[in-house]
Amino acid sequence: MEYEQLIATVRRRTGLKDEEAERSVRAVLSTLSERLAGREADHLAAQLPDRLDIFVTRNPQGRTWDVGEFLRIVGQREQCPDADLVRQHAQAVLGTIAEALDDDERADLLAQLPGGIIDLFGVPAPRG
């Protein structure tokens, strides 16, 4: 998926303008990647459009945020005080990211996340 296509998909799913959709993608992606441990953030970045790589934070230990803390941080970074909108934006971004990843990478990514965050992707939880 190309950068413009990813932003356009998020924009369509959220009703945001281009700049707002980009801010939402940056906020969700940076928060998600901080949650990942080991090299998973590198693997994620490798499958995203190049312009998004700079927003992927590498954190070898990974944070242990639950879905509430995850959304709180996304809201701060997105500068959106409405918790319902933050959740909608996160769902749109994560669903779009899930579509951009191959099946193996999506499964590896989801395997590191708690159920509440997995639910935001709108895809089945990994087995196993």
Side-chain angles (χ1 to χ4, degrees):
M1 182 178 290
E2 297 296 321
Y3 178 83
E4 291 79 12
Q5 181 184 4
L6 190 142
I7 296 301
T9 301
V10 170
R11 188 182 66 238
R12 188 183 76 252
R13 290 177 175 176
T14 60
L16 295 171
K17 297 176 184 169
D18 279 345
E19 183 178 304
E20 295 167 326
E22 289 175 350
R23 184 173 48 231
S24 184
V25 168
R26 288 191 306 264
V28 172
L29 186 56
S30 66
T31 307
L32 172 66
S33 61
E34 281 184 41
R35 181 66 175 72
L36 302 175
R39 304 259 345 243
E40 193 56 41
D42 290 327
H43 299 161
L44 171 63
Q47 291 200 19
L48 293 173
D50 290 338
R51 290 172 57 187
L52 291 177
D53 180 64
I54 61 172
F55 303 112
V56 175
T57 305
R58 275 63 171 193
N59 181 6
Q61 289 75 41
R63 308 283 185 200
T64 57
W65 301 321
D66 63 11
V67 68
E69 185 70 1
F70 177 84
L71 290 171
R72 186 187 68 73
I73 293 166
V74 168
Q76 286 176 342
R77 292 179 181 177
E78 191 178 359
Q79 300 172 1
C80 181
D82 185 318
D84 291 333
L85 284 178
V86 171
R87 178 176 285 277
Q88 290 171 12
H89 298 169
Q91 288 172 320
V93 172
L94 293 175
T96 303
I97 288 172
E99 292 168 6
L101 302 177
D102 67 36
D103 291 343
D104 289 338
E105 180 53 32
R106 185 173 40 254
D108 289 347
L109 172 73
L110 296 177
Q112 286 202 16
L113 301 172
I117 296 175
I118 291 171
D119 292 344
L120 296 172
F121 281 84
V123 296
R127 296 181 198 154

